[in-house]
Amino acid sequence: MNKKEYLRSWAETYKNDLTNNIMPFWLNHGWDKENGGIYTCLDRDGSLMDTTKSVWFQGRWAFICAFAYNNVEKNQEWLEASKSAIDFIEKYCFDKDGHMYFEVTAEGKPLRKRRYVFSETFAAIAFAEYSLATGDKHYAERALQVFHDAQRFLSTPGFLPAKYEPTVEMQSHSIIMILINVGSRLRAVIDDPTLTQQIDESISLLRRYFMHPEFKALLETVGPKGEFIDTNATRTINPGHCIETAWFIMEEAKLRNWDKDLLDTALTIFDWSWDWGWDKQYGGIINFRDCRNLPPQDYSQDMKFWWPQCETIIASLYAYLGTGDEEYLYRHQRISEWTYAHFPDQDYPEWYGYLHRDGTVAQPAKGNIFKGPFHVPRMMIKGYMLCQEILKTME
């Protein structure tokens, strides 16, 4: 392999796919120019299946548009689309208590709230990235406010409904990991000590409670002090989620001059999760595993979803940038070739989201409340950036 040619080729692929395929699809079919914001429930050809709007995708789309503007090209349409979603968020997506909705109508009427703060986390990174794109500090301050609100909701007993009865004490990996990324994105536009504090706290919790060397796994759910809970639901390993966490930590390690302890933690999580997730029979990253190798409970356990593949592409490039170990470049080659062989639709724009284990299409829609313009374009933006960074180290 000629490494320079390989990286140049992938950098060009990512940029071309983002600018000529993914972004135009969502701008043409998803952008609601009448009410503002983005529709995500789109069929294979981009036709609208449902006008329900996913609130967390209003933030995700606003972030992606500004992130692409900041790092790929100064496309004014992207910035306008970001502002459209941000305005929709501000006008319709916050309840009176500050907690955001999860779903609203096309016109912004509330449909559902959930017991999470993921809508808040994505709104915060959207405000931050838009502030970075425009230089408007109002949005940086708004990002910090929403971030602090989310922290308050999480720490106020009883504010967010419990998943189980109050006697069932457990904690989840998902919110801990996402706050690493939120802190990192906000810190690029506003200087506040609570951001690095949150990142450090999240990484500490992952190390102390969620990393279980006896299984060589980062678990999705543990007890209040990291106790292993031996039930079907709590034995779950979500390889894609763990790999996403790994690159969040690698990104932080890089910002700290490749801090060795952080990098070692991230690589350990990545290596464990690759071993659990990579499907040796068919290729690709599988959805769920059981840490005791018992049958996983989730009905989609052996499927291949779009987003774990995207996170693995990013993580493998970060790991190679941080170590120079060619094993990670080889990992990038395997996951990239499998992903690009199976997920892009050959007849219509954008990617499929849901494949069977063998890579055949389970359902062809391009979006729903949970799949939309986030993981795929973020992978392309980060992939383009990381390939360029690695190439610079080779000069």
Side-chain angles (χ1 to χ4, degrees):
M1 177 196 296
N2 182 313
K3 286 181 282 190
K4 287 186 178 181
E5 287 182 10
Y6 175 85
L7 291 161
R8 287 192 194 103
S9 175
W10 275 112
E12 184 59 32
T13 295
Y14 296 140
K15 183 177 181 180
N16 180 65
D17 212 0
L18 178 80
T19 57
N20 297 315
N21 176 12
I22 304 301
M23 295 300 284
F25 177 86
W26 293 100
L27 290 164
N28 293 335
H29 300 293
W31 187 0
D32 179 1
K33 294 188 177 180
E34 181 180 351
N35 301 294
I38 186 87
Y39 295 120
T40 57
C41 298
L42 304 184
D43 205 352
R44 184 184 181 192
D45 62 356
S47 57
L48 187 62
M49 300 188 297
D50 181 352
T51 59
T52 299
K53 284 179 177 168
S54 166
V55 170
W56 69 348
F57 259 107
Q58 305 310 306
R60 284 175 158 193
W61 170 240
F63 167 78
I64 285 296
C65 289
F67 193 49
Y69 179 90
N70 287 331
N71 294 289
V72 180
E73 67 177 47
K74 302 297 184 189
N75 185 319
Q76 196 62 32
E77 188 180 24
W78 297 350
L79 203 58
E80 291 170 9
S82 180
K83 183 61 160 55
S84 171
I86 283 172
D87 289 346
F88 186 87
I89 289 168
E90 290 283 48
K91 192 171 183 179
Y92 300 114
C93 296
F94 288 92
D95 200 353
K96 291 177 182 177
D97 60 2
H99 188 205
M100 295 183 72
Y101 299 108
F102 184 72
E103 295 174 11
V104 297
T105 67
E107 300 79 19
K109 294 178 182 177
L111 290 174
R112 180 160 70 128
K113 285 175 77 172
R114 297 184 77 191
R115 57 178 189 85
Y116 305 112
V117 294
F118 293 119
S119 293
E120 284 83 350
T121 62
F122 294 116
I125 65 171
F127 292 144
E129 203 65 28
Y130 186 77
S131 175
L132 191 62
T134 62
D136 189 335
K137 289 297 181 184
H138 161 75
Y139 291 101
E141 292 162 2
R142 187 74 177 103
L144 188 63
Q145 180 186 359
V146 173
F147 171 74
H148 285 156
D149 283 346
Q151 289 181 311
R152 176 169 55 83
F153 300 154
L154 289 165
S155 62
T156 302
F159 185 87
L160 301 172
K163 184 173 184 177
Y164 295 97
E165 290 298 311
T167 53
V168 180
E169 293 186 286
M170 57 179 65
Q171 54 180 324
S172 170
H173 162 221
S174 56
I175 189 59
I176 292 169
M177 60 86 82
I178 204 66
L179 288 172
I180 298 172
N181 184 246
V182 176
S184 176
R185 298 317 311 161
L186 268 61
R187 201 175 46 194
V189 294
I190 193 162
D191 183 17
D192 188 281
T194 61
L195 299 171
T196 298
Q197 182 182 336
Q198 177 63 67
I199 293 168
D200 289 342
E201 180 184 327
S202 287
I203 294 172
S204 177
L205 287 171
L206 293 173
R207 283 169 162 165
R208 287 185 289 134
Y209 294 157
F210 289 86
M211 292 178 71
H212 279 254
E214 69 272 26
F215 302 116
K216 292 189 174 180
L218 190 153
L219 299 177
E220 286 297 300
T221 308
V222 296
K225 297 296 181 183
E227 301 93 335
F228 170 60
I229 304 171
D230 199 356
T231 69
N232 282 341
T234 50
R235 287 194 300 267
T236 298
I237 299 168
N238 182 333
H241 227 186
C242 300
I243 290 169
E244 186 177 12
T245 294
W247 81 251
F248 287 171
I249 299 174
M250 285 186 227
E251 185 172 65
E252 187 65 18
K254 178 175 177 287
L255 289 167
R256 301 185 191 189
N257 296 313
W258 290 112
D259 179 278
K260 185 179 184 305
D261 288 341
L262 288 180
L263 183 58
D264 287 348
T265 294
L267 293 174
T268 297
I269 294 171
F270 184 27
D271 292 345
W272 286 352
S273 305
W274 172 272
D275 289 343
W276 279 107
W278 179 255
D279 185 341
K280 295 180 178 64
Q281 182 176 357
Y282 292 105
I285 299 295
I286 206 164
N287 256 15
F288 298 111
R289 298 291 304 276
D290 181 294
C291 68
R292 291 199 185 279
N293 272 315
L294 297 169
Q297 179 170 263
D298 194 282
Y299 66 90
S300 64
Q301 51 88 22
D302 68 342
M303 291 179 71
K304 305 286 171 58
F305 282 14
W306 77 105
W307 66 268
Q309 325 309 318
C310 292
E311 303 313 310
T312 306
I313 289 170
I314 297 171
S316 59
L317 287 171
Y318 256 124
Y320 182 64
L321 177 63
T323 66
D325 186 340
E326 293 192 7
E327 166 60 26
Y328 294 118
L329 202 59
Y330 179 43
R331 246 179 235 184
H332 176 267
Q333 181 181 18
R334 281 180 285 175
I335 188 61
S336 298
E337 289 177 353
W338 195 89
T339 299
Y340 268 82
H342 293 88
F343 281 94
D345 186 340
Q346 299 306 312
D347 298 315
Y348 293 95
E350 243 281 352
W351 287 18
Y352 300 118
Y354 303 90
L355 308 183
H356 296 296
R357 185 181 172 192
D358 64 0
T360 55
V361 177
Q363 64 100 325
K366 298 298 168 54
N368 52 43
I369 293 298
F370 301 98
K371 181 189 182 291
F374 183 65
H375 290 280
V376 172
R378 184 176 69 172
M379 176 276 289
M380 292 169 180
I381 298 164
K382 290 294 295 183
Y384 172 74
M385 294 167 66
L386 286 165
C387 285
Q388 300 279 32
E389 286 189 70
I390 295 167
L391 284 165
K392 284 181 182 177
T393 69
M394 296 177 173
E395 290 176 355

